[in-house]
Amino acid sequence: MENYQLLFPCSSTIAESSSSPSFSSHNNMGTPFINGNSSLHGVGNEMNEFHVRTTPSDDIHRAVSHDRHHHHHLGIANSGDGPAEMMSEQAAKPSEKKKGEKKIRKPRFAFQTRSQVDILDDGYRWRKYGQKAVKNNKFPRSYYRCTHQGCNVKKQVQRLSKDEGTVVTTYEGVHSHPIDKPSDNFEHILNQMHIYTPF
DNA sequence: CGCCTTTGACCCGCGC
DNA sequence: GCGCGGGTCAAAGGCG
């Protein structure tokens, strides 16, 4: 399914600044929306912010329902009236530090989706590694890591308490490997097509 | 049995 | 220093 990129229609744009180079260089499937203004500031700048603008029709995702809070079932994320949203945030956290390593924050980008379900299935396999309560939010935030060997991409998902129909997904890092969906069967594909051709 | 969640503890940066 | 908030670890358990 190399057309995973369709998940993010061309209309959605991203502005991100980061300290991570090696961005626009090789294309990485699965992150089509990185338009390569890489390394705005050199390493050492811990401040980066990300904006995501999506269009009204951005609730374009396959989604996993969580009728049980574990396994993945298929379901179409809503189709809603999600208005265009813009997000910007600061992340001034040095996360990547092993031992005397520099504190570089990978670029992060977020988008929000109106959806009934929390987990948007973007085609990668994720393992949840944490969940935390968020201040001023009645919903927790979940932390996921890409399970692909050597892939360090993370994402976090949270639902707005202000508008509980909205789910914010924040990606951190870039996949450098193909999509690793165990079973991409017809049903999945059909679901996608369904979503991508709303007219 | 392998893969995944759950969940409390831990860690770290920051403001007071 | 201390507490808080956000992010991560890892043990334990669940499920197919």
Side-chain angles (χ1 to χ4, degrees), chain A residues 32 35 45 47 51-52 60 107 115-116 129 132 156-157 168 198:
Chain A
N35 28 19
N45 187 341
M47 192 82 89
H51 312 286
V52 174
I60 309 178
S115 171
Q116 299 285 33
Y129 67 89
K132 283 290 279 187
Q156 36 180 266
V157 177
V168 180

Side-chain angles (χ1 to χ4, degrees), chain A residues 25-178:
Chain A
S25 19
H26 49 4
N27 101 317
N28 9 55
M29 23 197 335
T31 51
F33 37 30
I34 310 246
N35 28 19
N37 49 352
S38 56
S39 64
L40 290 176
H41 332 289
V43 210
N45 187 341
E46 305 178 5
M47 192 82 89
N48 54 44
E49 56 184 72
F50 48 88
H51 312 286
V52 174
R53 190 175 67 235
T54 48
T55 50
S57 57
D58 65 325
D59 23 86
I60 309 178
H61 298 281
R62 289 150 58 199
V64 258
S65 69
H66 64 325
D67 37 5
R68 297 245 82 60
H69 34 258
H70 47 319
H71 222 305
H72 304 135
H73 296 291
L74 239 299
I76 301 193
N78 78 332
S79 52
D81 40 8
E85 294 289 355
M86 159 97 79
M87 266 203 66
S88 100
E89 237 176 69
Q90 284 83 305
K93 273 261 168 165
S95 76
E96 294 273 319
K97 85 162 186 57
K98 273 282 144 90
K99 211 199 282 206
E101 268 186 33
K102 14 185 190 179
K103 12 173 97 179
I104 42 162
R105 241 282 177 239
K106 297 219 195 84
R108 305 210 289 185
F109 30 90
F111 60 87
Q112 28 188 112
T113 303
R114 295 192 58 83
S115 171
Q116 299 285 33
V117 298
D118 290 22
I119 309 302
L120 279 13
D121 187 352
D122 47 18
Y124 289 97
R125 299 172 60 210
W126 303 92
R127 170 163 43 251
K128 185 173 186 173
Y129 67 89
Q131 169 171 313
K132 283 290 279 187
V134 187
K135 202 184 162 181
N136 295 329
N137 197 331
K138 53 183 170 188
F139 302 105
R141 172 185 300 145
S142 296
Y143 300 88
Y144 298 87
R145 197 189 302 274
C146 181
T147 62
H148 190 93
Q149 236 270 325
C151 182
N152 245 359
V153 177
K154 290 178 246 179
K155 76 172 177 184
Q156 36 180 266
V157 177
Q158 74 184 306
R159 184 175 289 277
L160 265 37
S161 67
K162 171 186 174 196
D163 174 14
E164 55 179 271
T166 298
V167 172
V168 180
T169 305
T170 305
Y171 287 89
E172 175 175 337
V174 177
H175 298 282
S176 52
H177 57 90

